[in-house]
Amino acid sequence: EAGDNHTCAILDNESVKCWGANTSGQLGLGHTDSRGDGLNEMGDNLTAVDLGTGRTAKAIAAGYQHTCVILDNESAKCWGFNDKGQLGQGDSVSLGDGPNEMGDNLTVIDLGSGRNAASITTGAKHTCVMLDNASIKCWGQGEYGQLGSSEKKPEKKPKSDPINLGSGINAKAIVSGNSHNCVMLDNSSIKCWGYNASGQLGLGDANKRGDEPNEMADYLPAVDL
């Protein structure tokens, strides 16, 4: 998975290694030194990310300067830049850029009572998960509507209620761009919301969706394929 200026991989032993820019700790190594730009930094010299005692990774996503994983127990953790709350911890404190912030010290994201993560995706400064009940939750930067919350403000942790995709509709897959998201629904249609200056929502205009009332749920049309 490639972010803005860093790259992460899940290895065949389900550990994670990241390299590239590390300004905000997005490599999860407890410092801000880049990796892969000098001799003797890769291979066995590149430390695996500490995901916690006994924990391994099932899925990974990389944003502008943050990284998120779904662990083997279907919980989610994020680290790196956190100015908009994209790490889902309820604050704006970056993590992974200093000692004792990773591993067991990195708290899993509260996705809701009894809920687990099925897939995860990252935009520039926001994060979205598809939960095990096929609902969607997003957090982080929100001024372009990318959180689907009908508000122009960030959310520093997942809200209790998932995004309303429409009556009787659930998600099958989700992917995030810089400041927008698209889902494939269980009826195999596509809906997108967020920033739309170049028509990336596929709705025939350049208007944002998801930052005002009456733009989501049944008000949000499917993309005409």
Side-chain angles (χ1 to χ4, degrees):
E1 178 79 0
D4 191 61
N5 285 298
H6 74 291
T7 307
C8 294
I10 298 177
L11 304 183
D12 55 354
N13 63 358
E14 298 181 329
S15 66
V16 170
K17 287 190 174 185
C18 299
W19 59 93
N22 195 29
T23 309
S24 302
Q26 58 264 49
L27 303 188
L29 298 175
H31 56 67
T32 56
D33 300 328
S34 296
R35 286 290 182 268
D37 60 342
L39 296 175
N40 303 317
E41 291 184 346
M42 298 296 292
D44 292 337
N45 295 316
L46 181 61
T47 304
V49 177
D50 184 356
L51 300 174
T53 304
R55 296 273 69 90
T56 57
K58 293 178 62 177
I60 193 165
Y64 166 57
Q65 289 184 5
H66 77 293
T67 306
C68 297
V69 292
I70 297 177
L71 301 176
D72 58 295
N73 61 0
E74 298 182 331
S75 64
K77 287 186 174 184
C78 298
W79 60 88
F81 198 39
N82 194 33
D83 65 326
K84 300 294 185 180
Q86 54 264 50
L87 304 188
Q89 297 290 341
D91 56 39
S92 302
V93 179
S94 295
L95 297 170
D97 57 346
N100 303 317
E101 294 181 345
M102 297 295 294
D104 293 334
N105 294 316
L106 182 60
T107 305
V108 297
I109 298 166
D110 183 0
L111 299 174
S113 179
R115 294 274 65 91
N116 292 316
S119 68
I120 194 162
T121 183
T122 50
K125 293 186 177 185
H126 75 285
T127 305
C128 296
V129 294
M130 185 174 69
L131 300 175
D132 54 346
N133 62 356
S135 65
I136 300 291
K137 289 187 176 184
C138 299
W139 59 90
Q141 188 177 31
E143 46 262 56
Y144 303 115
Q146 60 266 59
L147 302 187
S149 62
S150 301
E151 296 179 300
K152 298 182 179 74
K153 67 175 186 177
E155 295 289 346
K156 297 180 180 179
K157 60 182 180 180
K159 300 180 83 169
S160 57
D161 293 327
I163 295 173
N164 189 339
L165 299 173
S167 302
I169 295 175
N170 292 313
K172 291 175 64 176
I174 183 168
V175 65
S176 297
N178 186 50
S179 298
H180 78 292
N181 310 296
C182 293
V183 293
M184 182 169 65
L185 303 174
D186 55 5
N187 60 5
S188 296
S189 66
I190 303 291
K191 285 190 175 186
C192 301
W193 65 93
Y195 197 52
N196 194 32
S198 300
Q200 53 264 57
L201 303 188
L203 298 176
D205 58 41
N207 302 322
K208 300 188 295 293
R209 298 293 196 286
D211 63 333
E212 298 282 354
N214 301 329
E215 292 184 342
M216 297 296 295
D218 293 332
Y219 295 101
L220 181 65
V223 176
D224 182 357
L225 299 174

